[in-house]
Amino acid sequence: MWRYLQTCCLDDVTVCLAMSLLLFLKASQAGRGASNVKPLDGVKILDLTRVLAGPFATMNLGDLGAEVIKVERPGAGDDTRAWGPPFVGKESVYFLSVNRNKKSIAINMKNSRGAKIIRELAAVSDVFVENYVPGKLAEIGLGYEDIKKIAPHIVYCSITGYGQTGPMVQRGGYDSIAAAVSGLMHITGHEEGEPVRVGVAMTDLATGLYACGAIMAGLLQRYKTGKGLHIDCNLMSSQVACLTHVAANYLNCTIEGKRWGTAHGSIVPYQAFKTKDGYIVVGAGNDQQFVTVCKILNVPEVSKDSRYKTNTLRVQNRKELIDILSTRFSEKTTSKWLQLFEGSGVPYGPINNMQQVFSDPQVLHNGLVMEMNHPTAGRIVVPGPGVRYSEFAVSHPKPPPLVGQHTVEILKGMLGYEDNAIEELLHTGAVAQHEILFLVSLLQDLPMHMGSTHMVA
């Protein structure tokens, strides 16, 4: 459709507006009589990202209805396919956790014909997402300026370690390094202990969420202006932005950040307390909640003590107060404290392990467990999206793809390639179709392929 509109002698802005209108009309028509139309139905996303931040972003967009085309290296595919154990069959659980609702096309980008296919896919896509070191894709004609020439409507999102310009631009970015450089590790860990990495890659995940929101903003911007745009999203900026009050403490009051363990630098009590058989986390965010905590612990006199009347005073007299509360918490089991706090209005909860998390009635009620049937791994289970919507459900997810599972389908369906052209691309190694599924297709159409001898990467 993009190429057809260009032949009508229209300028790029007009073509972009026409494309946006067509996309809007397509989504509107899809919604007529449909009970589960999603906001990104009809949006095509070309996904050149690997590992976590990018795949997490595009998975969330796929959950909202976008068609995500994941471009992978023939053979090895996404780096995380090799991250394990654990594996389910031969599939990395890490990879399975962040790649649902995607189709995979295996393309050798270093092959000129492979790079050409990516440009052709970009021309018929709405969004282009990549996480290469700045300048790498431009070397093979796939940078923003290159893609903009053939697809001025494109929302092109780059996810990097440190941004598109600046003194650290050529450094690779992994979550742990970005978390260290941006200060997150400095403020994470026991008060007198060593810096600690957060249990999951929160810098990557935060960047993925920023990228997801930025891409949707880019699509809205294009609808308003008729123009695509480039989005610069990076791990360092995302994490520094998420330092919030710790950063503001330093910027406004030159108060250096420090590690507090499970406690909070500005609220007391707000931390984990050791019980007779485990831990409970309690947070008193205002003076009334503190009074309630003291009643539950049967130390009402503490709430009347002049040293603890306000939160400011409690922060100043933290050690003495925490010693008193810790002694009381240690006298009963976690389950007993949970019973006592129930219905009190004070935020509280146990420290759960994974078995306890996925047995929690609220977790199950919120639909946070997704099951899928994977073509080789069989039944797989992953955490689902953290948001629910009144007018549509994020349901019936497609399982994470095998490397190159949809190569032939995409070449035919999106680009209109004929069988003989696809055969040649497979033979030269410009693209690859997953071996198991390719053999299945051969058996289904045996007379057509009799005598074929090309290897499939």
Side-chain angles (χ1 to χ4, degrees):
M1 178 60 72
W2 172 260
R3 290 171 182 165
Y4 170 75
L5 289 170
Q6 285 183 314
T7 64
C8 297
C9 299
L10 302 173
D11 62 85
D12 286 342
V13 172
T14 304
V15 173
C16 284
L17 285 168
M19 288 286 287
S20 296
L21 180 59
L22 285 169
L23 182 62
F24 173 76
L25 290 172
K26 182 178 179 182
S28 298
Q29 290 169 352
R32 291 173 186 169
S35 60
N36 199 39
V37 63
K38 296 178 181 177
L40 296 184
D41 282 347
V43 174
K44 289 183 170 60
I45 297 176
L46 189 60
D47 179 9
L48 275 68
T49 67
R50 304 138 296 157
V51 187
L52 183 54
F56 187 63
T58 55
M59 179 182 71
N60 277 281
L61 296 168
D63 285 341
L64 296 177
E67 181 180 5
V68 180
I69 308 301
K70 184 177 179 70
V71 177
E72 301 190 74
R73 293 174 295 166
D78 190 313
D79 294 357
T80 60
R81 289 185 182 273
W83 287 11
F87 296 92
V88 179
K90 294 183 179 180
E91 305 300 324
S92 162
V93 173
Y94 195 113
F95 175 84
L96 296 176
S97 72
V98 289
N99 283 286
R100 66 176 174 268
N101 289 325
K102 300 177 186 181
K103 296 179 179 180
S104 172
I105 181 170
I107 302 177
N108 180 0
M109 292 195 299
K110 295 180 181 178
N111 182 304
S112 60
R113 299 177 75 177
K116 177 176 177 287
I117 291 170
I118 292 176
R119 285 191 287 273
E120 291 173 342
L121 287 170
V124 296
S125 297
D126 301 286
V127 179
F128 187 114
V129 195
E130 57 90 10
N131 65 343
Y132 286 80
V133 172
K136 288 295 182 183
L137 288 184
E139 292 174 4
I140 55 175
L142 297 175
Y144 172 61
E145 293 301 329
D146 303 301
I147 300 300
K148 181 182 177 183
K149 291 175 184 176
I150 58 172
H153 66 283
I154 205 78
V155 175
Y156 190 114
C157 179
S158 296
I159 302 174
T160 60
Y162 303 97
Q164 295 296 303
T165 57
M168 298 167 70
V169 67
Q170 289 302 311
R171 293 190 191 180
Y174 270 149
D175 173 271
S176 289
I177 292 86
V181 173
S182 65
L184 179 61
M185 277 194 188
H186 175 72
I187 59 174
T188 305
H190 290 297
E191 188 172 355
E192 303 301 329
E194 299 293 321
V196 172
R197 176 183 173 273
V198 180
V200 292
M202 287 308 302
T203 302
D204 265 343
L205 296 172
T207 305
L209 291 174
Y210 267 116
C212 182
I215 287 167
M216 289 193 283
L219 289 169
L220 287 171
Q221 179 79 349
R222 187 184 77 181
Y223 179 70
K224 291 180 177 181
T225 67
K227 297 180 181 179
L229 76 165
H230 182 243
I231 297 167
D232 174 4
C233 199
N234 64 84
L235 302 182
M236 171 181 266
S237 294
S238 296
Q239 187 54 68
V240 170
C242 287
L243 293 176
T244 57
H245 71 281
V246 176
N249 289 347
Y250 174 76
L251 294 171
N252 293 282
C253 308
T254 63
I255 297 174
E256 182 57 75
K258 60 172 288 186
R259 292 183 283 282
W260 285 103
T262 65
H264 194 291
S266 300
I267 309 170
V268 175
Y270 192 104
Q271 66 181 74
F273 292 94
K274 189 170 179 57
T275 67
K276 201 170 186 177
D277 62 349
Y279 293 89
I280 184 171
V281 179
V282 174
N286 58 53
D287 296 337
Q288 183 54 53
Q289 287 180 348
F290 175 65
V291 171
T292 303
V293 168
C294 292
K295 287 181 180 177
I296 293 172
L297 270 62
N298 198 25
V299 286
E301 69 279 3
V302 174
S303 64
K304 299 172 184 176
D305 191 314
S306 61
R307 293 173 296 172
Y308 313 130
K309 278 288 191 180
T310 66
N311 181 69
T312 300
L313 290 169
R314 292 192 290 274
V315 170
Q316 292 171 356
N317 296 286
R318 176 191 302 266
K319 187 179 184 308
E320 298 90 337
L321 176 57
I322 295 304
D323 285 345
I324 295 169
L325 301 182
S326 295
T327 299
R328 291 291 291 135
F329 275 112
S330 68
E331 296 172 358
K332 299 183 190 298
T333 63
T334 300
S335 61
K336 184 61 178 177
W337 285 122
L338 295 176
Q339 292 174 16
L340 292 171
F341 274 92
E342 179 67 31
S344 67
V346 175
Y348 71 98
I351 296 180
N352 286 334
N353 60 27
M354 291 302 101
Q355 187 276 328
Q356 292 166 327
V357 168
F358 290 103
S359 300
D360 188 289
Q362 192 65 48
V363 170
L364 298 175
H365 173 80
N366 286 358
L368 291 170
V369 177
M370 277 190 158
E371 296 185 11
M372 291 164 278
N373 289 315
H374 188 272
T376 62
R379 176 181 174 273
I380 61 170
V381 187
V382 298
V387 179
R388 295 194 294 179
Y389 304 86
S390 65
E391 299 303 314
F392 67 93
V394 181
S395 57
H396 307 296
K398 296 181 178 66
L402 303 170
V403 180
Q405 179 177 340
H406 305 94
T407 297
V408 172
E409 174 188 330
I410 291 166
L411 291 175
K412 284 184 175 182
M414 287 186 68
L415 300 181
Y417 273 57
E418 300 292 340
D419 287 340
N420 59 346
I422 295 173
E423 290 279 347
E424 185 180 356
L425 290 169
L426 289 165
H427 184 73
T428 59
V431 301
Q433 171 75 28
H434 192 277
E435 193 169 30
I436 294 174
L437 296 175
F438 185 76
L439 291 174
V440 170
S441 69
L442 284 179
L443 292 172
Q444 289 174 339
D445 200 8
L446 193 58
M448 181 182 295
H449 294 280
M450 285 289 283
S452 177
T453 59
H454 70 256
M455 296 297 291
V456 180

